[in-house]
Amino acid sequence: ADMPPNLKCRAGAFVSLKRRGQLRGCIGTTKPAQDNLAAEIIANAISAGTRDPRFWPVQVDELEDIVYSVDVLGTPEPIAGLDQLDPKRYGVIVHSRGGRTGLLLPDLEGIDTPEKQVQIAKEKASLGPGDEVQLERFEVKRYF
């Protein structure tokens, strides 16, 4: 009942875990799957620590070294091309005709061009460089 109003809304959110500066897990939702943002963040934090297929589950002895960040996603909007992307400001979602989807958050270290941003999003969707995709962009509010 005393939850802050900004956690009562519904939104997609990504939770990233880093240990000693290295990614240790990242899971999120592009659209809300829970009753409120607080529940969305909790569910995604647990999944980031236990279900990210790129990593072994986080162990109890690692918890004190984990730094968490939360990205609350704005509404994705379709875009016509790379010229409408700014990797510092916008995240990107790629959609293939075959139904594969890849997402990359904005303002990530080492990602400084729209081309690189889309390339990585395609790789996350198991798509090749020549695969045609539809693009969406979104903004986030990032919390550490």
Side-chain angles (χ1 to χ4, degrees), residues 116-141:
K116 182 75 169 174
Q117 190 180 34
V118 170
Q119 172 198 339
I120 293 170
K122 282 181 164 184
E123 289 170 1
K124 292 176 87 172
S126 297
L127 297 169
D131 289 326
E132 289 187 32
V133 293
Q134 293 179 328
L135 301 174
E136 290 182 299
R137 70 180 184 187
F138 59 91
E139 294 183 282
V140 301
K141 290 184 183 174

PDB file of all heavy atoms in Angstrom, residues 116-141:
ATOM      1  N   LYS A 116      26.540  -0.794 -35.293  1.00  0.00           N
ATOM      2  CA  LYS A 116      27.013  -1.755 -34.294  1.00  0.00           C
ATOM      3  C   LYS A 116      25.857  -2.195 -33.396  1.00  0.00           C
ATOM      4  O   LYS A 116      25.727  -3.372 -33.045  1.00  0.00           O
ATOM      5  CB  LYS A 116      28.136  -1.119 -33.455  1.00  0.00           C
ATOM      6  CG  LYS A 116      28.726  -2.032 -32.418  1.00  0.00           C
ATOM      7  CD  LYS A 116      29.631  -3.069 -33.040  1.00  0.00           C
ATOM      8  CE  LYS A 116      30.408  -3.789 -31.960  1.00  0.00           C
ATOM      9  NZ  LYS A 116      31.177  -4.895 -32.499  1.00  0.00           N
ATOM     10  N   GLN A 117      25.010  -1.250 -33.030  1.00  0.00           N
ATOM     11  CA  GLN A 117      23.870  -1.536 -32.178  1.00  0.00           C
ATOM     12  C   GLN A 117      22.935  -2.562 -32.843  1.00  0.00           C
ATOM     13  O   GLN A 117      22.535  -3.550 -32.215  1.00  0.00           O
ATOM     14  CB  GLN A 117      23.136  -0.225 -31.903  1.00  0.00           C
ATOM     15  CG  GLN A 117      22.065  -0.294 -30.851  1.00  0.00           C
ATOM     16  CD  GLN A 117      21.404   1.060 -30.655  1.00  0.00           C
ATOM     17  OE1 GLN A 117      21.248   1.836 -31.601  1.00  0.00           O
ATOM     18  NE2 GLN A 117      21.020   1.337 -29.428  1.00  0.00           N
ATOM     19  N   VAL A 118      22.607  -2.342 -34.108  1.00  0.00           N
ATOM     20  CA  VAL A 118      21.720  -3.253 -34.824  1.00  0.00           C
ATOM     21  C   VAL A 118      22.404  -4.594 -35.054  1.00  0.00           C
ATOM     22  O   VAL A 118      21.769  -5.654 -34.930  1.00  0.00           O
ATOM     23  CB  VAL A 118      21.240  -2.625 -36.151  1.00  0.00           C
ATOM     24  CG1 VAL A 118      20.527  -3.643 -37.026  1.00  0.00           C
ATOM     25  CG2 VAL A 118      20.332  -1.433 -35.860  1.00  0.00           C
ATOM     26  N   GLN A 119      23.690  -4.583 -35.349  1.00  0.00           N
ATOM     27  CA  GLN A 119      24.436  -5.832 -35.544  1.00  0.00           C
ATOM     28  C   GLN A 119      24.328  -6.719 -34.307  1.00  0.00           C
ATOM     29  O   GLN A 119      24.042  -7.913 -34.409  1.00  0.00           O
ATOM     30  CB  GLN A 119      25.910  -5.531 -35.832  1.00  0.00           C
ATOM     31  CG  GLN A 119      26.787  -6.769 -35.861  1.00  0.00           C
ATOM     32  CD  GLN A 119      28.273  -6.437 -35.714  1.00  0.00           C
ATOM     33  OE1 GLN A 119      28.703  -5.322 -35.967  1.00  0.00           O
ATOM     34  NE2 GLN A 119      29.036  -7.411 -35.271  1.00  0.00           N
ATOM     35  N   ILE A 120      24.529  -6.149 -33.145  1.00  0.00           N
ATOM     36  CA  ILE A 120      24.479  -6.935 -31.903  1.00  0.00           C
ATOM     37  C   ILE A 120      23.059  -7.400 -31.616  1.00  0.00           C
ATOM     38  O   ILE A 120      22.841  -8.540 -31.201  1.00  0.00           O
ATOM     39  CB  ILE A 120      25.068  -6.131 -30.732  1.00  0.00           C
ATOM     40  CG1 ILE A 120      26.569  -5.929 -30.964  1.00  0.00           C
ATOM     41  CG2 ILE A 120      24.820  -6.837 -29.398  1.00  0.00           C
ATOM     42  CD1 ILE A 120      27.222  -4.963 -30.003  1.00  0.00           C
ATOM     43  N   ALA A 121      22.073  -6.546 -31.856  1.00  0.00           N
ATOM     44  CA  ALA A 121      20.677  -6.947 -31.660  1.00  0.00           C
ATOM     45  C   ALA A 121      20.324  -8.112 -32.592  1.00  0.00           C
ATOM     46  O   ALA A 121      19.628  -9.051 -32.187  1.00  0.00           O
ATOM     47  CB  ALA A 121      19.737  -5.771 -31.877  1.00  0.00           C
ATOM     48  N   LYS A 122      20.823  -8.076 -33.831  1.00  0.00           N
ATOM     49  CA  LYS A 122      20.593  -9.181 -34.768  1.00  0.00           C
ATOM     50  C   LYS A 122      21.251 -10.466 -34.262  1.00  0.00           C
ATOM     51  O   LYS A 122      20.654 -11.544 -34.328  1.00  0.00           O
ATOM     52  CB  LYS A 122      21.141  -8.841 -36.156  1.00  0.00           C
ATOM     53  CG  LYS A 122      20.267  -7.924 -36.968  1.00  0.00           C
ATOM     54  CD  LYS A 122      20.934  -7.705 -38.333  1.00  0.00           C
ATOM     55  CE  LYS A 122      20.003  -7.142 -39.347  1.00  0.00           C
ATOM     56  NZ  LYS A 122      20.639  -7.034 -40.684  1.00  0.00           N
ATOM     57  N   GLU A 123      22.481 -10.342 -33.774  1.00  0.00           N
ATOM     58  CA  GLU A 123      23.176 -11.520 -33.242  1.00  0.00           C
ATOM     59  C   GLU A 123      22.392 -12.129 -32.090  1.00  0.00           C
ATOM     60  O   GLU A 123      22.296 -13.356 -31.968  1.00  0.00           O
ATOM     61  CB  GLU A 123      24.583 -11.143 -32.784  1.00  0.00           C
ATOM     62  CG  GLU A 123      25.523 -10.832 -33.923  1.00  0.00           C
ATOM     63  CD  GLU A 123      26.849 -10.238 -33.474  1.00  0.00           C
ATOM     64  OE1 GLU A 123      27.082 -10.076 -32.253  1.00  0.00           O
ATOM     65  OE2 GLU A 123      27.664  -9.900 -34.362  1.00  0.00           O
ATOM     66  N   LYS A 124      21.831 -11.292 -31.233  1.00  0.00           N
ATOM     67  CA  LYS A 124      21.045 -11.781 -30.099  1.00  0.00           C
ATOM     68  C   LYS A 124      19.797 -12.519 -30.571  1.00  0.00           C
ATOM     69  O   LYS A 124      19.282 -13.386 -29.869  1.00  0.00           O
ATOM     70  CB  LYS A 124      20.676 -10.627 -29.170  1.00  0.00           C
ATOM     71  CG  LYS A 124      21.893 -10.051 -28.446  1.00  0.00           C
ATOM     72  CD  LYS A 124      21.535  -8.865 -27.615  1.00  0.00           C
ATOM     73  CE  LYS A 124      21.087  -9.336 -26.250  1.00  0.00           C
ATOM     74  NZ  LYS A 124      20.894  -8.225 -25.312  1.00  0.00           N
ATOM     75  N   ALA A 125      19.308 -12.166 -31.753  1.00  0.00           N
ATOM     76  CA  ALA A 125      18.142 -12.834 -32.335  1.00  0.00           C
ATOM     77  C   ALA A 125      18.543 -14.004 -33.230  1.00  0.00           C
ATOM     78  O   ALA A 125      17.695 -14.583 -33.906  1.00  0.00           O
ATOM     79  CB  ALA A 125      17.312 -11.829 -33.129  1.00  0.00           C
ATOM     80  N   SER A 126      19.834 -14.331 -33.247  1.00  0.00           N
ATOM     81  CA  SER A 126      20.379 -15.387 -34.120  1.00  0.00           C
ATOM     82  C   SER A 126      20.117 -15.086 -35.592  1.00  0.00           C
ATOM     83  O   SER A 126      19.779 -15.964 -36.377  1.00  0.00           O
ATOM     84  CB  SER A 126      19.810 -16.757 -33.745  1.00  0.00           C
ATOM     85  OG  SER A 126      20.190 -17.107 -32.440  1.00  0.00           O
ATOM     86  N   LEU A 127      20.283 -13.816 -35.950  1.00  0.00           N
ATOM     87  CA  LEU A 127      20.129 -13.378 -37.330  1.00  0.00           C
ATOM     88  C   LEU A 127      21.481 -12.981 -37.891  1.00  0.00           C
ATOM     89  O   LEU A 127      22.350 -12.514 -37.154  1.00  0.00           O
ATOM     90  CB  LEU A 127      19.175 -12.183 -37.404  1.00  0.00           C
ATOM     91  CG  LEU A 127      17.741 -12.443 -36.956  1.00  0.00           C
ATOM     92  CD1 LEU A 127      16.976 -11.138 -36.815  1.00  0.00           C
ATOM     93  CD2 LEU A 127      17.037 -13.388 -37.917  1.00  0.00           C
ATOM     94  N   GLY A 128      21.636 -13.136 -39.185  1.00  0.00           N
ATOM     95  CA  GLY A 128      22.879 -12.773 -39.840  1.00  0.00           C
ATOM     96  C   GLY A 128      22.875 -11.334 -40.320  1.00  0.00           C
ATOM     97  O   GLY A 128      21.828 -10.675 -40.348  1.00  0.00           O
ATOM     98  N   PRO A 129      24.047 -10.829 -40.732  1.00  0.00           N
ATOM     99  CA  PRO A 129      24.162  -9.447 -41.182  1.00  0.00           C
ATOM    100  C   PRO A 129      23.243  -9.112 -42.348  1.00  0.00           C
ATOM    101  O   PRO A 129      22.742  -7.996 -42.461  1.00  0.00           O
ATOM    102  CB  PRO A 129      25.628  -9.312 -41.596  1.00  0.00           C
ATOM    103  CG  PRO A 129      26.334 -10.465 -40.996  1.00  0.00           C
ATOM    104  CD  PRO A 129      25.320 -11.537 -40.765  1.00  0.00           C
ATOM    105  N   GLY A 130      22.980 -10.069 -43.232  1.00  0.00           N
ATOM    106  CA  GLY A 130      22.154  -9.803 -44.405  1.00  0.00           C
ATOM    107  C   GLY A 130      20.658  -9.990 -44.184  1.00  0.00           C
ATOM    108  O   GLY A 130      19.864  -9.696 -45.075  1.00  0.00           O
ATOM    109  N   ASP A 131      20.272 -10.478 -43.016  1.00  0.00           N
ATOM    110  CA  ASP A 131      18.848 -10.687 -42.749  1.00  0.00           C
ATOM    111  C   ASP A 131      18.127  -9.352 -42.617  1.00  0.00           C
ATOM    112  O   ASP A 131      18.588  -8.451 -41.905  1.00  0.00           O
ATOM    113  CB  ASP A 131      18.650 -11.500 -41.459  1.00  0.00           C
ATOM    114  CG  ASP A 131      19.067 -12.947 -41.619  1.00  0.00           C
ATOM    115  OD1 ASP A 131      18.898 -13.500 -42.715  1.00  0.00           O
ATOM    116  OD2 ASP A 131      19.567 -13.525 -40.627  1.00  0.00           O
ATOM    117  N   GLU A 132      17.000  -9.238 -43.313  1.00  0.00           N
ATOM    118  CA  GLU A 132      16.203  -8.019 -43.237  1.00  0.00           C
ATOM    119  C   GLU A 132      15.417  -8.004 -41.935  1.00  0.00           C
ATOM    120  O   GLU A 132      14.910  -9.043 -41.489  1.00  0.00           O
ATOM    121  CB  GLU A 132      15.241  -7.933 -44.425  1.00  0.00           C
ATOM    122  CG  GLU A 132      15.937  -7.644 -45.738  1.00  0.00           C
ATOM    123  CD  GLU A 132      14.947  -7.398 -46.864  1.00  0.00           C
ATOM    124  OE1 GLU A 132      13.849  -6.874 -46.595  1.00  0.00           O
ATOM    125  OE2 GLU A 132      15.287  -7.745 -47.996  1.00  0.00           O
ATOM    126  N   VAL A 133      15.323  -6.821 -41.346  1.00  0.00           N
ATOM    127  CA  VAL A 133      14.600  -6.670 -40.083  1.00  0.00           C
ATOM    128  C   VAL A 133      13.802  -5.373 -40.092  1.00  0.00           C
ATOM    129  O   VAL A 133      14.117  -4.438 -40.817  1.00  0.00           O
ATOM    130  CB  VAL A 133      15.550  -6.663 -38.859  1.00  0.00           C
ATOM    131  CG1 VAL A 133      16.204  -8.020 -38.665  1.00  0.00           C
ATOM    132  CG2 VAL A 133      16.595  -5.562 -38.967  1.00  0.00           C
ATOM    133  N   GLN A 134      12.779  -5.359 -39.280  1.00  0.00           N
ATOM    134  CA  GLN A 134      12.082  -4.125 -38.964  1.00  0.00           C
ATOM    135  C   GLN A 134      12.670  -3.619 -37.661  1.00  0.00           C
ATOM    136  O   GLN A 134      13.027  -4.409 -36.775  1.00  0.00           O
ATOM    137  CB  GLN A 134      10.582  -4.371 -38.813  1.00  0.00           C
ATOM    138  CG  GLN A 134       9.915  -4.760 -40.117  1.00  0.00           C
ATOM    139  CD  GLN A 134       8.432  -5.016 -39.930  1.00  0.00           C
ATOM    140  OE1 GLN A 134       7.995  -5.461 -38.885  1.00  0.00           O
ATOM    141  NE2 GLN A 134       7.667  -4.728 -40.961  1.00  0.00           N
ATOM    142  N   LEU A 135      12.782  -2.312 -37.539  1.00  0.00           N
ATOM    143  CA  LEU A 135      13.427  -1.703 -36.377  1.00  0.00           C
ATOM    144  C   LEU A 135      12.426  -0.933 -35.533  1.00  0.00           C
ATOM    145  O   LEU A 135      11.514  -0.295 -36.055  1.00  0.00           O
ATOM    146  CB  LEU A 135      14.521  -0.735 -36.829  1.00  0.00           C
ATOM    147  CG  LEU A 135      15.653  -1.291 -37.682  1.00  0.00           C
ATOM    148  CD1 LEU A 135      16.551  -0.155 -38.165  1.00  0.00           C
ATOM    149  CD2 LEU A 135      16.451  -2.319 -36.900  1.00  0.00           C
ATOM    150  N   GLU A 136      12.636  -1.011 -34.227  1.00  0.00           N
ATOM    151  CA  GLU A 136      11.936  -0.159 -33.274  1.00  0.00           C
ATOM    152  C   GLU A 136      12.984   0.448 -32.357  1.00  0.00           C
ATOM    153  O   GLU A 136      14.022  -0.168 -32.099  1.00  0.00           O
ATOM    154  CB  GLU A 136      10.943  -0.945 -32.427  1.00  0.00           C
ATOM    155  CG  GLU A 136       9.734  -1.458 -33.160  1.00  0.00           C
ATOM    156  CD  GLU A 136       8.794  -2.180 -32.231  1.00  0.00           C
ATOM    157  OE1 GLU A 136       9.203  -3.197 -31.642  1.00  0.00           O
ATOM    158  OE2 GLU A 136       7.648  -1.722 -32.086  1.00  0.00           O
ATOM    159  N   ARG A 137      12.705   1.631 -31.869  1.00  0.00           N
ATOM    160  CA  ARG A 137      13.591   2.255 -30.900  1.00  0.00           C
ATOM    161  C   ARG A 137      12.774   2.559 -29.637  1.00  0.00           C
ATOM    162  O   ARG A 137      11.552   2.656 -29.682  1.00  0.00           O
ATOM    163  CB  ARG A 137      14.235   3.529 -31.450  1.00  0.00           C
ATOM    164  CG  ARG A 137      13.271   4.671 -31.624  1.00  0.00           C
ATOM    165  CD  ARG A 137      13.949   5.893 -32.170  1.00  0.00           C
ATOM    166  NE  ARG A 137      12.998   7.010 -32.243  1.00  0.00           N
ATOM    167  CZ  ARG A 137      13.248   8.162 -32.786  1.00  0.00           C
ATOM    168  NH1 ARG A 137      14.430   8.398 -33.343  1.00  0.00           N
ATOM    169  NH2 ARG A 137      12.336   9.113 -32.792  1.00  0.00           N
ATOM    170  N   PHE A 138      13.508   2.707 -28.535  1.00  0.00           N
ATOM    171  CA  PHE A 138      12.860   3.032 -27.273  1.00  0.00           C
ATOM    172  C   PHE A 138      13.858   3.765 -26.387  1.00  0.00           C
ATOM    173  O   PHE A 138      15.068   3.642 -26.558  1.00  0.00           O
ATOM    174  CB  PHE A 138      12.348   1.766 -26.565  1.00  0.00           C
ATOM    175  CG  PHE A 138      13.435   0.771 -26.259  1.00  0.00           C
ATOM    176  CD1 PHE A 138      14.117   0.801 -25.049  1.00  0.00           C
ATOM    177  CD2 PHE A 138      13.799  -0.192 -27.191  1.00  0.00           C
ATOM    178  CE1 PHE A 138      15.134  -0.103 -24.774  1.00  0.00           C
ATOM    179  CE2 PHE A 138      14.817  -1.108 -26.923  1.00  0.00           C
ATOM    180  CZ  PHE A 138      15.476  -1.061 -25.711  1.00  0.00           C
ATOM    181  N   GLU A 139      13.333   4.526 -25.462  1.00  0.00           N
ATOM    182  CA  GLU A 139      14.163   5.180 -24.459  1.00  0.00           C
ATOM    183  C   GLU A 139      13.991   4.435 -23.141  1.00  0.00           C
ATOM    184  O   GLU A 139      13.018   3.689 -22.962  1.00  0.00           O
ATOM    185  CB  GLU A 139      13.777   6.649 -24.303  1.00  0.00           C
ATOM    186  CG  GLU A 139      14.079   7.465 -25.552  1.00  0.00           C
ATOM    187  CD  GLU A 139      13.759   8.938 -25.386  1.00  0.00           C
ATOM    188  OE1 GLU A 139      12.568   9.284 -25.470  1.00  0.00           O
ATOM    189  OE2 GLU A 139      14.709   9.711 -25.159  1.00  0.00           O
ATOM    190  N   VAL A 140      14.930   4.639 -22.236  1.00  0.00           N
ATOM    191  CA  VAL A 140      14.850   4.005 -20.921  1.00  0.00           C
ATOM    192  C   VAL A 140      15.107   5.044 -19.830  1.00  0.00           C
ATOM    193  O   VAL A 140      15.723   6.074 -20.079  1.00  0.00           O
ATOM    194  CB  VAL A 140      15.853   2.845 -20.756  1.00  0.00           C
ATOM    195  CG1 VAL A 140      15.638   1.759 -21.783  1.00  0.00           C
ATOM    196  CG2 VAL A 140      17.289   3.336 -20.778  1.00  0.00           C
ATOM    197  N   LYS A 141      14.655   4.704 -18.646  1.00  0.00           N
ATOM    198  CA  LYS A 141      15.097   5.380 -17.430  1.00  0.00           C
ATOM    199  C   LYS A 141      15.940   4.355 -16.704  1.00  0.00           C
ATOM    200  O   LYS A 141      15.472   3.254 -16.396  1.00  0.00           O
ATOM    201  CB  LYS A 141      13.897   5.808 -16.573  1.00  0.00           C
ATOM    202  CG  LYS A 141      13.106   6.931 -17.185  1.00  0.00           C
ATOM    203  CD  LYS A 141      11.993   7.368 -16.264  1.00  0.00           C
ATOM    204  CE  LYS A 141      11.178   8.458 -16.950  1.00  0.00           C
ATOM    205  NZ  LYS A 141       9.994   8.823 -16.174  1.00  0.00           N
TER     206      LYS A 141
END
